[in-house]
Amino acid sequence: MTPEELDLVCDLVHDLCGIALDNSKDYLIESRLSRLLDQVQTPTYTDLVRHARGPQGLSLQKEIINSITTQETLFFRDSNPFDAVRFKALPELIDEKSKSFNPKRLRIWSAACSTGQEPYSLAMTLIETIPDIHSWDVSITATDISNEALAKASRGWFPEHEVARGLDQTRRTRFFTPEKDGWKIKDEVRYLLNFQPFNLLKDFSHVGQFDIIFCRNVVIYFNPEDRKRAYLGLTNQLAPNGFLFVGASESLIDLGDRFQPQHHCNTVYYQPNRVLPEFVIANKVKTESGI
Ligand SMILES: C[S@@+](CC[C@H](N)C(=O)[O-])C[C@H]1O[C@@H](n2cnc3c(N)ncnc32)[C@H](O)[C@@H]1O
């Protein structure tokens, strides 16, 4: 791949999904995209980009997204955020909702859900924590930009080695049915979820409002400007008392004082800052000037 072709591919990938690749990633790009050259019967990446940007390019764009995105995930990944949902977010939300017009309505979003392990882990956490869950109006919206990842997530079937990553025997037998060479998620879990395609860099206006949002291990691939844009979109969809969980190496620092980091169960989650920004600024000035 020539340096010019590398630039063309990096620009295309950024336009499609926000992933910021630089010139040092030529090996990764070639290893993930070279098979598409054969598929569209073209010898050059310049042609591949031209096809993808052309009027018939939609299906090739999807293939590029499926190939270039990293779908690494596992059940109960990093475990602490799921403990914070169980011991902090759900008890608080249940208490608040008991005083509201919709005492049993919960809306949860796993944004960038990959092949489904994260939203299924959230569903298992809910079932384990709320004994009468089936009388609740619960919906876990699970979205991703990759249609291939979503198709697998929606099917709810996982091979043995994936089930072995993060699930103990008790959860396996409670929430899955063994099938040939793999495990199928039970209907009592599956029916809590709905899967939809969504690009975190597009319009959020139709998405709705959520009590809990998980958006983990995706914005690390974005540049700072896109990262901020995605977080702003997400935070606008968070209910006033909602909980936003990001990846262990991610933070909302770019959004300034609007969101407060909270610590619980060895993890950090974010909530809208209920203290007026003016008050925060005044306090900072006081502290810094030693008043
Ligand atoms: C590493 S996985 C993280 C999965 C899960 N959240 C976790 O932490 O285990 C990153 C996912 O982000 C998705 N992704 C990448 N760019 C995206 C975008 N612009 N909008 C939505 N999803 C995106 C990828 O398709 C991939 O499934």
Side-chain angles (χ1 to χ4, degrees):
M1 190 189 291
T2 65
E4 292 74 26
E5 285 183 310
L6 190 56
D7 286 346
L8 284 176
V9 174
C10 290
D11 285 350
L12 175 70
V13 167
H14 175 257
D15 291 349
L16 292 179
C17 58
I19 294 178
L21 298 166
D22 62 41
N23 294 357
S24 67
K25 295 288 193 300
D26 54 343
Y27 172 75
L28 178 128
I29 293 170
E30 292 209 54
S31 67
R32 292 190 179 186
L33 298 187
S34 60
R35 69 179 180 87
L36 296 179
L37 294 177
D38 298 337
Q39 201 169 305
V40 292
Q41 295 174 343
T42 176
T44 70
Y45 285 92
T46 308
D47 269 353
L48 184 81
V49 172
R50 195 169 43 75
H51 268 81
R53 289 202 187 271
Q56 309 294 322
L58 192 62
S59 72
L60 179 57
Q61 290 177 11
K62 288 183 180 169
E63 296 257 21
I64 292 171
I65 291 171
N66 288 333
S67 307
I68 207 75
T69 47
T70 300
Q71 258 106 48
E72 165 62 14
T73 188
L74 65 149
F75 289 100
F76 292 92
R77 183 176 192 173
D78 301 335
S79 77
N80 293 334
F82 298 93
D83 289 340
V85 166
R86 180 191 309 270
F87 296 115
K88 182 72 179 169
L90 287 177
E92 278 191 16
L93 287 167
I94 291 169
D95 189 42
E96 273 158 25
K97 281 173 184 285
S98 67
K99 302 164 207 150
S100 77
F101 287 118
N102 283 314
K104 290 190 161 188
R105 186 177 195 271
L106 265 180
R107 292 290 177 267
I108 296 173
W109 183 12
S110 165
C113 68
S114 186
T115 42
Q117 284 85 336
E118 180 177 275
Y120 285 124
S121 303
L122 283 164
M124 289 182 244
T125 306
L126 257 62
I127 294 171
E128 288 169 349
T129 313
I130 307 176
D132 61 340
I133 185 86
H134 297 297
S135 68
W136 280 64
D137 169 14
V138 174
S139 171
I140 301 173
T141 300
T143 63
D144 200 277
I145 198 171
S146 159
N147 61 345
E148 217 167 76
L150 276 178
K152 179 173 175 194
S154 174
R155 189 172 164 219
W157 182 91
F158 297 93
E160 175 68 36
H161 70 273
E162 288 183 20
V163 168
R165 295 182 73 202
L167 289 177
D168 58 24
Q169 199 56 44
T170 312
R171 282 189 173 134
R172 259 192 221 205
T173 40
R174 178 164 177 198
F175 297 118
F176 291 79
T177 310
E179 287 189 349
K180 192 176 174 294
D181 299 332
W183 297 76
K184 178 99 174 140
I185 197 88
K186 286 187 179 167
D187 288 347
E188 64 156 328
V189 188
R190 177 64 184 82
Y191 98 105
L192 296 175
L193 290 98
N194 63 84
F195 291 96
Q196 293 167 32
F198 185 72
N199 181 348
L200 284 163
L201 295 170
K202 296 283 185 240
D203 177 21
F204 279 68
S205 56
H206 65 285
V207 183
Q209 204 178 49
F210 296 90
D211 301 300
I212 298 174
I213 298 177
F214 269 48
C215 182
R216 305 186 310 149
N217 307 306
V218 54
V219 302
I220 34 163
Y221 301 109
F222 295 175
N223 67 31
E225 199 183 311
D226 290 334
R227 193 157 55 226
K228 187 171 176 185
R229 192 163 122 214
Y231 276 150
L232 269 176
L234 286 164
T235 52
N236 284 335
Q237 309 312 127
L238 194 63
N241 297 315
F243 294 75
L244 170 64
F245 291 85
V246 300
S249 61
E250 298 162 338
S251 93
L252 260 64
I253 197 142
D254 294 342
L255 299 195
D257 290 331
R258 276 186 60 204
F259 282 80
Q260 269 304 90
Q262 313 278 354
H263 300 260
H264 210 278
C265 295
N266 289 322
T267 194
V268 176
Y269 62 86
Y270 290 85
Q271 288 199 296
N273 195 348
R274 287 173 215 163
V275 182
L276 289 173
E278 293 75 22
F279 181 82
V280 174
I281 292 161
N283 251 7
K284 232 187 230 163
V285 173
K286 259 193 207 168
T287 323
E288 280 160 14
S289 60
I291 302 171

